[in-house]
Amino acid sequence: MKDEPNAAAGPRPVGAGLRPLAQGRVADRVVAEIRDYITANDLQPGHRLPPERVFIERLGVGRSSLREALRVLATTGLIEVRHGDGMYVSAAQEAWRSSAAAIFDATEEHALRNLVETRLGVELAATIAATMRATDEDLDQLHEFLETQARALEDDPDYEWEPLAFELALIEMSGNTWLYDIEVMLHGAWLELSAGLRSSVGRQREWLSEQRAILASVRSRNVAQ
């Protein structure tokens, strides 16, 4: 007879049913695998999940990706993380099955937050490097790029330019290939967001104004500014 899991004993063999992740955004796949694990083990509210190390080892993911997935699951109310005690299922499986849209929304929000926070550090470093290294000719080309975008916006209010194109050009001028590789990764992450979310945060005219200000600051050669 199959042993029923309980809050004290936990589910059947820890990590059973987990498999290395397929391709896709890692945190999204971890969310899906944890949901599948709970369903396969018929876990109910109050049942304890395996410790983080088990998911990390069995899914072949890093701690940061796992914790990103756990934040999404906790945000949508599907699990509860009790610090110093462990992780527990906090919603019935009916709620799990009906919350796909909420999970998608939460995952998207976390992805956008990570993108924004990473850009802050990368692009500040790139701007400082470009201020010190970009030539006047580089900056003239960047100015023309922005003016082309401005003309396109005037002709078509719904125009959307290539995401992070200005930032990529600025980083290329800095000569820092590591920063450039990270920015290319962020460019890909932006494209993975849903069109609806990209549209909701797209502020083309505001971005144009900000980029003009950044260019003026770089031209000043004043690193502190």
Side-chain angles (χ1 to χ4, degrees):
M1 182 176 67
K2 177 183 176 182
D3 292 331
E4 291 296 328
N6 55 64
R12 65 186 173 83
V14 172
L18 295 175
R19 56 190 182 279
L21 297 183
Q23 290 185 347
R25 210 177 78 83
V26 176
D28 296 348
R29 296 294 302 130
V30 174
V31 167
E33 288 296 335
I34 293 177
R35 294 181 72 211
D36 289 347
Y37 175 83
I38 289 174
T39 300
N41 287 277
D42 194 27
L43 302 185
Q44 301 300 321
H47 288 160
R48 188 173 185 172
L49 291 169
E52 287 186 3
R53 61 176 174 77
V54 172
F55 287 110
I56 290 172
E57 293 170 0
R58 288 303 188 92
L59 297 177
V61 299
R63 187 176 301 276
S64 60
S65 295
L66 175 64
R67 290 188 172 176
E68 174 72 9
L70 295 177
R71 281 193 292 270
V72 170
L73 293 169
T75 298
T76 52
L78 302 180
I79 71 168
E80 178 186 1
V81 179
R82 303 175 187 174
H83 296 290
D85 186 22
M87 302 176 291
Y88 293 82
V89 177
S90 59
Q93 290 185 34
E94 292 75 16
W96 282 84
R97 287 191 288 270
S98 64
S99 62
I103 290 176
F104 177 78
D105 290 343
T107 303
E108 284 266 286
E109 290 172 5
H110 282 294
L112 180 60
R113 181 205 64 191
N114 288 349
L115 175 60
V116 171
E117 289 178 352
T118 305
R119 283 185 62 190
L120 287 175
V122 170
E123 292 169 10
L124 175 60
T127 301
I128 292 173
T131 300
M132 295 186 293
R133 301 184 195 132
T135 66
D136 291 340
E137 182 181 358
D138 287 335
L139 300 182
D140 288 342
Q141 291 177 355
L142 199 54
H143 171 78
E144 182 54 37
F145 168 82
L146 291 180
E147 293 309 304
T148 300
Q149 304 301 329
R151 289 192 293 270
L153 279 173
E154 289 300 321
D155 294 339
D156 180 6
D158 296 323
Y159 173 77
E160 294 185 15
W161 61 64
E162 178 71 12
L164 305 187
F166 172 84
E167 292 83 354
L168 282 165
L170 189 68
I171 292 175
E172 190 170 14
M173 293 172 189
S174 77
N176 189 316
T177 56
W178 289 12
L179 289 177
Y180 187 83
D181 288 344
I182 296 172
E183 192 73 11
V184 169
M185 180 191 71
L186 295 177
H187 171 268
W190 171 261
L191 293 178
E192 287 181 4
L193 298 175
S194 66
L197 182 59
R198 293 203 307 269
S199 177
S200 71
V201 298
R203 302 287 188 273
Q204 312 291 348
R205 295 182 184 281
E206 291 178 21
W207 292 350
L208 178 61
S209 177
E210 291 171 357
Q211 289 170 355
R212 281 172 165 165
I214 290 170
L215 178 56
S217 182
V218 173
R219 277 192 185 280
S220 75
R221 306 296 181 178
N222 185 330
V223 173
Q225 178 181 338

